[in-house]
Amino acid sequence: MKYREFSDLLLSKRYFVFSTKDMVLFFPRIKKKTIANQLCEWRKKGYITRLKKDLYELSQKGKGNEIPDLYIANRLYAPSYVSLETALSIYSIIPEVAMHVTSITTNPTKRFKNKHGQFLYFSCQPKAYTGYLLTEYEGYKINIAEKEKALVDYIYFKTRKEKEMNFEDERFDEDILKELDWSRIKLYAELFNKSVTKRIKKLKEFAKC
């Protein structure tokens, strides 16, 4: 298999992040061991970049094909969806730009670091793994929390770290908070515990929603 043939196929499908399993599906007549050796050779030549064990991306993708970090986050650790500070920042609920890409998963808590930056994954119970949607972001399909679920996820993990929460310090945009569906927020909070439900109630009172 020639690299040009391989890269042209992936570029035509906008399939810039791939694993050995993906290549076996694309090239079923080639043995898995041969594919693994080929990937190793291409990596040494700088044609592809490893994002983690058995997950790669094309090093030369062409102008306008830079992969967004949020898409990388979904592919690095599945199942997962972008949430917490990253989602709140995207929705302008908090003013800060998140330093890491933060996600929710049902897998164990995990951290990855590669050329794109750091990716943090926080574990939740399966019953709370909901409230996200598949949406287009910079030309890619990504799983990201709804505004309401991103807020509840954030409150939940804050609850686990801190006994008290100063809403003034959080710098939530109160105008955006007033636009949220608080009945939906309440339902999401109940998927976690009473402490989250209480803090959500206090936040609603604080923002006068």
Side-chain angles (χ1 to χ4, degrees), residues 64-77:
N65 287 326
E66 187 62 33
I67 307 174
D69 293 348
L70 274 61
Y71 179 80
I72 296 292
N74 282 181
R75 293 300 308 275
L76 273 177
Y77 204 45

Side-chain angles (χ1 to χ4, degrees), residues 12 29 35 38 42 48 52 58 71 89 126 137 152 158-159 168 182 204 206 209:
S12 68
R29 295 182 180 180
I35 288 175
Q38 189 74 78
W42 289 343
I48 63 176
K52 71 167 188 176
L58 299 176
Y71 179 80
S89 176
Y137 180 81
V152 174
K158 274 282 187 175
T159 299
E168 289 282 359
W182 284 87
K204 185 179 179 181
F206 169 80
C209 297

